[in-house]
């Protein structure tokens, strides 16, 4: 079945850029997502990218998709302490009209002041 | 309401008891998902409801777990004879189209 993998931890200094990486196995995934989870909260959708795109930029966030390598990354420019959270990558698997989201284990981003 | 709500926010129970967790999705959302997030782990898919179709129960870890969605809206996840390994945060999400899932705040279940 579909599998999504992420590194578990990332630590950066405030003001630096953060890059969180993700790999997935199902080449037919049509949408790929990045979610943010702050302590004690549910997941918040940050951004998503359609599989026919290579890049998507939204303010401080840049998503890069390498479909050939099945690699997705999230770059956060000018990282702030408020960006400290767990970031989940997810891929959409579609089967006969049903939509199932496969999530990675999450990357815990720690921003050092 | 404006978003997905879940109740209770926290539930502490004794091993062997049954628990019911509730999810109120966003009005009009046809799809509803339950996930489990164990400490230090990612999201584990449990069950998926889509409209009037039969639910996808492929993620339920054992027959102690079941879920219903009444009237295409509210959903209840039931765990019978709870075990300590059931302790986790249970997250519900709803969606209208595949581009976005909206998550509730979760129910933190602790089994003593």
């Amino acid at each position: 079945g579909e599998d999504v993998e992420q590194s578990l931890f990332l630590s950066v200094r405030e003001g630096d850029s953060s890059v969180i990486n993700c790999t997935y196995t199902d080449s037919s995934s049509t949408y790929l997502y990045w979610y943010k989870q702050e302590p004690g909260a549910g997941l918040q959708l940050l951004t998503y990218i359609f599989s026919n795109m290579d890049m998507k930029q939204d303010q401080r966030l840049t998503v890069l998709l390498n479909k050939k390598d099945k690699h997705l990354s999230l770059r956060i420019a000018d990282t702030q302490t408020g960006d400290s959270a767990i970031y989940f990558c997810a891929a959409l698997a579609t089967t006969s009209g049903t939509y199932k989201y496969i999530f990675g284990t999450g990357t815990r981003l720690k921003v050092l002041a | 309401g404006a978003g997905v709500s879940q109740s209770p926010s926290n539930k502490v129970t004794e091993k062997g008891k049954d628990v019911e967790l509730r999810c109120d999705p966003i009005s009009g959302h046809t799809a509803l998902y339950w996930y489990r997030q164990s400490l230090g782990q990612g999201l584990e898919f449990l069950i998926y409801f889509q409209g009037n179709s039969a639910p996808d129960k492929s993620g339920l870890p054992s027959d102690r777990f079941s879920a219903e969605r009444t009237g295409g809206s509210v959903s209840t996840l039931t765990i019978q004879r709870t075990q300590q390994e059931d302790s986790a945060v249970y997250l519900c999400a709803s969606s209208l189209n595949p581009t976005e899932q909206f998550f509730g705040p979760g129910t933190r279940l602790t089994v003593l």
Side-chain angles (χ1 to χ4, degrees), chain A residues 8 31 33 35 37 40-45 48 86 88 92 94 97-106 108, chain B residues 33 35 37 40-43 45 48 50 56 58-59 89 91 95 97-106 108:
Chain A
L8 292 180
Y31 290 95
Y33 308 82
Y35 286 85
Q37 185 182 36
L43 274 69
Q44 172 197 356
L45 179 67
Y48 66 89
I86 302 175
F88 289 92
L92 179 66
T94 58
T98 65
Y99 301 99
K100 189 184 288 188
Y101 297 80
I102 310 300
F103 285 81
T105 53
R108 185 178 295 273
Chain B
Y33 301 79
Y35 297 91
Q37 185 178 22
Q41 305 216 359
L43 267 67
F45 165 77
Y48 158 49
Q50 174 64 55
D56 178 346
S58 60
V89 175
L91 291 164
S95 72
N97 61 63
T99 59
E100 191 162 8
Q101 265 189 322
F102 293 85
F103 279 82
R108 182 175 296 279

Side-chain angles (χ1 to χ4, degrees), chain A residues 47-59:
Chain A
T47 186
Y48 66 89
I49 189 167
F50 191 54
S51 60
N52 67 355
M53 299 168 66
D54 298 323
M55 186 182 86
K56 181 177 181 180
Q57 187 154 4
D58 183 1
Q59 299 182 346

Side-chain angles (χ1 to χ4, degrees), chain A residues 3-7 21-24 89 104-105:
Chain A
D3 190 27
V4 176
E5 293 192 354
Q6 303 176 238
S7 53
N21 294 300
C22 168
T23 57
Y24 60 98
C89 170
T105 53

Side-chain angles (χ1 to χ4, degrees), chain A:
Chain A
E2 168 78 276
D3 190 27
V4 176
E5 293 192 354
Q6 303 176 238
S7 53
L8 292 180
F9 299 101
L10 177 65
S11 179
V12 299
R13 295 211 172 271
E14 191 174 19
D16 287 350
S17 292
S18 308
V19 180
I20 303 171
N21 294 300
C22 168
T23 57
Y24 60 98
T25 57
D26 187 354
S27 57
S28 66
S29 295
T30 51
Y31 290 95
L32 297 134
Y33 308 82
W34 285 104
Y35 286 85
K36 177 183 181 182
Q37 185 182 36
E38 297 186 79
L43 274 69
Q44 172 197 356
L45 179 67
L46 285 178
T47 186
Y48 66 89
I49 189 167
F50 191 54
S51 60
N52 67 355
M53 299 168 66
D54 298 323
M55 186 182 86
K56 181 177 181 180
Q57 187 154 4
D58 183 1
Q59 299 182 346
R60 292 191 298 123
L61 305 178
T62 302
V63 178
L64 294 177
L65 174 60
N66 181 329
K67 199 173 177 184
K68 174 176 169 289
D69 294 337
K70 300 196 219 32
H71 182 268
L72 183 74
S73 68
L74 174 69
R75 178 177 180 270
I76 306 173
D78 187 26
T79 314
Q80 302 298 306
T81 54
D83 294 325
S84 292
I86 302 175
Y87 291 81
F88 289 92
C89 170
L92 179 66
T94 58
T95 306
S96 303
T98 65
Y99 301 99
K100 189 184 288 188
Y101 297 80
I102 310 300
F103 285 81
T105 53
T107 299
R108 185 178 295 273
L109 174 65
K110 184 174 182 180
V111 182
L112 306 172

